[in-house]
Amino acid sequence: MDLPTIQPRLVAVSKTKPADMVIEAYSHGQRTFGENYVQELLEKASNPKILSSCPEIKWHFIGHLQKQNVNKLMAVPNLFMLETVDSVKLADKVNSSWQKRGSPERLKVMVQINTSGEESKYGLPPSETVAVVEHINAKCPSLEFVGLMTIGSFGHDLSQGPNPDFQVLLSLREELCKKLNIPTDQVELSMGMSMDFQHAIEVGSTNVRVGSTIFGERDYSKKPAPDKSAADLKAPVEVAQEH
């Protein structure tokens, strides 16, 4: 088994969890945290206790991002990566909003692919991957394309072989790197959650999104209002971006 030379990044998904739990995980050495909702991320990342106790924290946004929430997301302190760019229009909006923020660093972004083809999942169709990455590289100078992300279908039975959604992401990276002449090790793969992160790492994930295994089951009675509008056709289906 060839394990990756680079240790995969663990994104501790703190959705619905209080600031104190983030601070506790930080005190044990965790630096990268993920959130699904813009409002919850903004409140948590701006929390004075987190700002003072966790100076090196890095926030990943891993939920579906609507265009009307882009400016709010760009205001998040210590925002490190947006894992869910799923259209050219969204990339353009994020690029101009990050430019206005005037950060000296480019914002790291991943392109989200709908590898399972399920209606309930967000992400680009695999066939559009190369075009969107090309657009980011050519037309979005404030963004740094760093990888591909997928949710994948839930409950894949590993006794039937590797998760086909992870295989799709791997082959997309190969195609992308060939066409755009990018070294493979410069394109990350964000795949794997609580129930399948070991398998994801075995097949090449560099970024796993793990929530309930670290923080315990979520209490959805305290769930924040999701970032959804009436115009969001997928609103009735809650898309889990991690577990």
Side-chain angles (χ1 to χ4, degrees):
M1 181 79 252
D2 288 336
L3 282 174
T5 44
I6 303 162
Q7 189 173 5
R9 182 191 300 106
L10 172 63
V11 181
V13 180
S14 45
K15 177 171 82 166
T16 79
K17 299 300 180 185
D20 290 345
M21 287 181 94
V22 172
I23 292 166
E24 187 185 355
Y26 186 95
S27 74
H28 289 286
Q30 180 63 21
R31 292 292 176 267
T32 304
F33 293 83
E35 287 285 340
N36 285 63
Y37 298 117
V38 176
Q39 188 58 40
E40 185 179 3
L41 172 54
L42 186 59
E43 286 169 14
K44 220 170 271 182
S46 309
N47 181 302
K49 281 202 291 193
I50 286 183
L51 285 169
S52 61
S53 312
C54 312
E56 292 168 19
I57 199 164
K58 296 181 168 104
W59 289 105
H60 283 218
F61 187 70
I62 59 172
H64 177 59
L65 180 59
Q66 292 179 296
K67 289 185 205 58
Q68 72 261 28
N69 287 321
V70 167
N71 289 341
K72 193 189 272 188
L73 178 66
M74 297 299 103
V76 166
N78 301 305
L79 179 66
F80 184 74
M81 192 185 293
L82 165 60
E83 293 197 22
T84 49
V85 172
D86 60 2
S87 70
V88 161
K89 282 183 175 163
L90 183 61
D92 287 341
K93 179 100 172 85
V94 170
N95 180 65
S96 64
S97 183
W98 189 254
Q99 233 161 8
K100 288 190 191 105
R101 176 173 153 158
S103 170
E105 304 277 316
R106 291 186 295 165
L107 177 65
K108 295 181 192 305
V109 297
M110 289 190 181
V111 170
Q112 182 178 357
I113 314 297
N114 184 346
T115 48
S116 60
E118 292 167 278
E119 279 293 303
S120 61
K121 301 261 166 63
Y122 292 103
L124 283 171
S127 59
E128 292 177 27
T129 309
V130 174
V132 172
V133 173
E134 272 188 310
H135 177 86
I136 291 170
N137 287 343
K139 300 283 197 312
C140 300
S142 294
L143 306 184
E144 179 187 356
F145 166 73
V146 295
L148 303 174
M149 179 265 212
T150 192
I151 308 297
S153 54
F154 295 119
H156 172 71
D157 178 1
L158 286 174
S159 69
Q160 305 297 307
N163 186 327
D165 297 322
F166 295 172
Q167 300 300 313
V168 168
L169 209 64
L170 281 158
S171 59
L172 279 175
R173 175 171 69 177
E174 205 172 315
E175 180 196 351
L176 177 75
C177 290
K178 270 194 189 128
K179 286 191 174 161
L180 301 187
N181 205 15
I182 309 171
T184 312
D185 60 4
Q186 284 182 20
V187 179
E188 288 204 40
L189 297 177
S190 175
M191 55 192 195
M193 309 185 245
S194 285
M195 77 275 283
D196 60 5
F197 70 89
Q198 286 109 327
H199 170 60
I201 290 167
E202 280 171 15
V203 297
S205 178
T206 63
N207 187 85
V208 292
R209 308 176 303 267
V210 180
S212 47
T213 303
I214 297 172
F215 295 111
E217 291 304 315
R218 294 193 187 89
D219 178 2
Y220 280 105
S221 65
K222 302 193 182 70
K223 191 177 137 197
D227 309 319
K228 287 179 177 150
S229 69
D232 189 343
L233 295 176
K234 295 198 175 97
V237 182
E238 161 138 358
V239 181
Q241 306 285 53
E242 42 55 48
H243 256 276

